[in-house]
Amino acid sequence: MLVDTGTEKFLWEYGINVENWGKPIQPEINFDGVFVSHAHLDHSGLLPQLYRQGYEGMFYCEPATLDLLSILLRDSLKLQKRECGNLDYFMDDVKHLERNTSFLKTGETQDFTLSNVSFHNAGHIPGSASTLLESRGKRVLFTGDIKFQGTQLMNGADTDFENIDVLISESTYSYTNHPDRKGIENALKKTVQETVYGGGVCLIPAFSVGRTQELLLILSDLGVPIYIDGMGVRATEAILRHPGSIKDYRRLSTAFSHAHKVTRGSERERIIEKPCAIITTAGMLNGGPIVSYISKLYDRQDCSLVMTGFQVPGTAGRNLLDTGKFVNGEIDVKPRMRMEFLDFSAHTDHDHLIEFYRKVRPKKIILVHGEKTEAFAEELKGMGFDAYAPKNGETLKIV
Ligand SMILES: [Zn+2]
Ligand SMILES: [Zn+2]
C-alpha cells in the first residue's frame, strides 16, 4: 500500500507471493519511508529490490522484525537462485536495507514533517505490529496480520484504539472461525505421546518463525525428546535476542535449551532410530529437512505426521492432505504413517474481527489480505459498518 498524505508518501509492506514469486505493483521511488508490519515474506520479501531501484530512504520496523527478516531474506535469495532465472535483488541490496533500518518498537512513535506513525502489538508473531498513521486530523490504522487471543508464545493484540477514521484490516480468516485452541493443543500432545510411547517418531512440519516456537512451548512439558531441525533453530535464537517480543522469555529460553538442535544433515539417520518428536521446516512440505524425514519414515505405521498450519493449494502439503500422496522431486509415495491436520493459526478469525470492529467503531473499514474480502464487506455492511474490499491497484481517497 502507498499512503499519500499530500505532504509525505509512505510505503506500507512490500512482499512477494512465496508460492509463485508473484510481485506487487512497483511504486515510483519517491516516498519518505517504508514500514513493514512483520517479518513474513508476503509482507517484506521484496524490500531489498527497492534499494536496487535507487531508494535511499529509511526502512522502519520493530527490532525483532529485522533480525528475523535478515534470516528469511537470505534464505529466500538462495531459493530464488535455485528456482528462478533472474533475481529481483542481490545480497548487496539486503545489506543496504539492513544499513538503512530505523527501529520503531511497539508503543513508540516516529514523527515526520506533517504526520506521525506509531506501532502497536499485533499478537501475530514476534515483532508483529499494527501501524497507526495520524495526519491532517485523520487517523488511519493498519492491523497487519493480527491475532487478538493470546497464545503460548504471544500476548494478544492491542485493541485500545479510539477515533479511527479508516481501519485497514487483514481478513485472512474472515469467512470462518478457528477451533478451540486448548482442544488442538491437547490433540497435538496426545498424538506426540501415543507415537513416542508406541516406539515411533512424530514429525511436525512447521514455519520457522512463530509456529516452531509455539509448538516447542506446547510440547515442552511432555517429557519426550524433542528435536528442532532447519531454519527454526536460528529463528528461535533470533527471537530470544528480543525478550520483549514474546509473552514469556524465560519459558521459551528453557524449552529451547532442553530441545535438541539438529546442526548437520548426517545426524538425521541416528535421530530417527529412537522415539522422539521432530519440529522442522518447511511448513508446507515443499522442501527442507522434512522431505528427507518423510522419505525415511513414510512406510512406518508407528510414526506420525502432524501438519500445523494452512496448506496453500499447489504445495506438497496440500497435495498430501487432498490425495494421501506425498510428491516432492523424485519422491512419490503413499505414506502409511498416521497423519493429522491441526489448525494452529497465528491469525484471528471471523468472530474476533467483528468483535474488534464493534469495539473500535472505525468510520470506514478497508479489507485486505484475504481471499473472500468482497463477501465479508457485504456481511459487514449488513451489520451497519461502512466496509469496502478494494482491488489491487485501486486508489482510495480519505476525506
Ligand atoms: Zn504473517
Ligand atoms: Zn501475511
Side-chain angles (χ1 to χ4, degrees):
M1 286 170 287
L2 188 70
V3 185
D4 186 346
T5 67
T7 305
E8 300 120 332
K9 282 183 185 152
F10 303 111
L11 190 64
W12 284 2
E13 320 285 63
Y14 200 56
I16 46 162
N17 182 331
V18 286
E19 303 311 322
N20 60 18
W21 306 107
K23 291 169 205 166
I25 296 168
Q26 298 210 332
E28 232 183 286
I29 306 291
N30 63 352
F31 35 83
D32 302 275
V34 181
F35 291 85
V36 152
S37 64
H38 65 293
H40 281 153
L41 293 175
D42 57 322
H43 299 255
S44 59
L46 214 54
L47 285 169
Q49 195 208 38
L50 296 172
Y51 290 89
R52 175 126 222 103
Q53 291 175 333
Y55 177 59
E56 288 289 341
M58 297 310 286
F59 159 55
Y60 298 90
C61 71
E62 227 275 342
T65 296
L66 182 70
D67 229 348
L68 293 167
L69 195 52
S70 291
I71 299 171
L72 295 177
L73 285 175
R74 280 170 175 75
D75 182 65
S76 176
L77 192 57
K78 247 191 272 170
L79 271 178
Q80 275 184 64
K81 280 182 184 157
R82 214 179 304 154
E83 293 179 14
C84 311
N86 48 345
L87 297 177
D88 296 313
Y89 58 85
F90 296 86
M91 188 56 85
D92 273 0
D93 306 312
V94 176
K95 289 180 179 162
H96 198 164
L97 169 82
E98 289 165 347
R99 280 196 306 275
N100 280 34
T101 300
S102 183
F103 292 130
L104 194 55
K105 291 184 181 166
T106 52
E108 287 182 351
T109 302
Q110 174 73 38
D111 288 318
F112 293 88
T113 313
L114 184 78
S115 320
N116 67 70
V117 177
S118 55
F119 272 1
H120 306 265
N121 172 37
H124 172 61
I125 60 165
S128 65
S130 297
T131 313
L132 176 64
L133 168 83
E134 296 181 80
S135 190
R136 295 177 184 269
K138 298 282 178 197
R139 285 159 61 83
V140 179
L141 177 66
F142 168 47
T143 62
D145 289 1
I146 197 162
K147 192 166 185 77
F148 299 110
Q149 284 180 305
T151 60
Q152 301 282 336
L153 181 67
M154 300 295 299
N155 288 313
D158 295 341
T159 58
D160 289 329
F161 298 101
E162 283 171 355
N163 303 317
I164 298 298
D165 295 283
V166 179
L167 174 66
I168 304 171
S169 171
E170 76 125 313
S171 55
T172 317
Y173 288 97
S174 64
Y175 56 91
T176 188
N177 287 319
H178 295 309
D180 167 61
R181 192 81 175 189
K182 233 14 310 116
I184 55 167
E185 285 183 9
N186 289 335
L188 175 68
K189 287 182 190 172
K190 188 163 171 276
T191 302
V192 169
Q193 279 174 319
E194 285 172 0
T195 306
V196 171
Y197 297 156
V201 174
C202 181
L203 296 179
I204 313 169
F207 308 122
S208 59
V209 176
R211 190 65 41 81
T212 291
Q213 296 76 33
E214 176 76 7
L215 297 169
L216 181 61
L217 288 171
I218 294 167
L219 300 177
S220 62
D221 55 1
L222 280 188
V224 303
I226 299 171
Y227 288 85
I228 308 179
D229 197 350
M231 225 162 46
V233 175
R234 271 186 302 145
T236 311
E237 288 165 351
I239 289 166
L240 288 171
R241 285 195 287 271
H242 303 276
S245 71
I246 51 177
K247 188 195 267 181
D248 190 339
Y249 168 80
R250 207 174 279 263
R251 238 190 108 209
L252 182 64
S253 172
T254 306
F256 187 59
S257 68
H258 290 162
H260 307 270
K261 294 94 183 168
V262 183
T263 48
R264 284 191 308 274
S266 57
E267 292 172 64
R268 287 171 196 147
E269 293 274 2
R270 181 181 55 78
I271 291 164
I272 58 172
E273 283 171 8
K274 291 195 180 135
C276 64
I278 304 172
I279 304 170
T280 185
T281 45
M284 297 191 204
L285 317 184
N286 263 358
I290 188 67
V291 178
S292 119
Y293 285 117
I294 295 177
S295 66
K296 291 185 179 83
L297 298 173
Y298 71 92
D299 219 18
R300 278 180 54 181
Q301 280 177 300
D302 61 339
C303 294
S304 56
L305 173 71
V306 186
M307 283 176 262
T308 56
F310 181 70
Q311 304 291 310
V312 171
T315 60
R318 170 47 70 93
N319 188 41
L320 179 62
L321 284 176
D322 291 347
T323 67
K325 284 174 78 177
F326 179 69
V327 184
N328 195 304
E330 284 164 17
I331 307 160
D332 184 345
V333 294
K334 207 166 174 89
R336 293 172 71 212
M337 30 189 344
R338 169 176 172 183
M339 284 189 284
E340 264 173 72
F341 173 77
L342 296 170
D343 172 17
F344 281 98
S345 179
H347 293 266
T348 190
D349 56 14
H350 174 272
D351 288 3
H352 291 96
L353 279 172
I354 290 170
E355 194 181 308
F356 178 58
Y357 303 154
R358 288 203 167 119
K359 181 177 177 191
V360 175
R361 286 266 140 212
K363 289 196 187 113
K364 190 165 190 79
I365 301 172
I366 309 287
L367 298 168
V368 296
H369 200 287
E371 285 162 67
K372 303 181 181 176
T373 47
E374 277 107 352
F376 191 42
E378 284 308 312
E379 186 189 347
L380 291 175
K381 276 185 215 158
M383 296 173 166
F385 291 106
D386 179 356
Y388 184 63
K391 301 238 177 333
N392 199 14
E394 206 171 324
T395 302
L396 304 176
K397 204 165 179 145
I398 298 167
V399 286

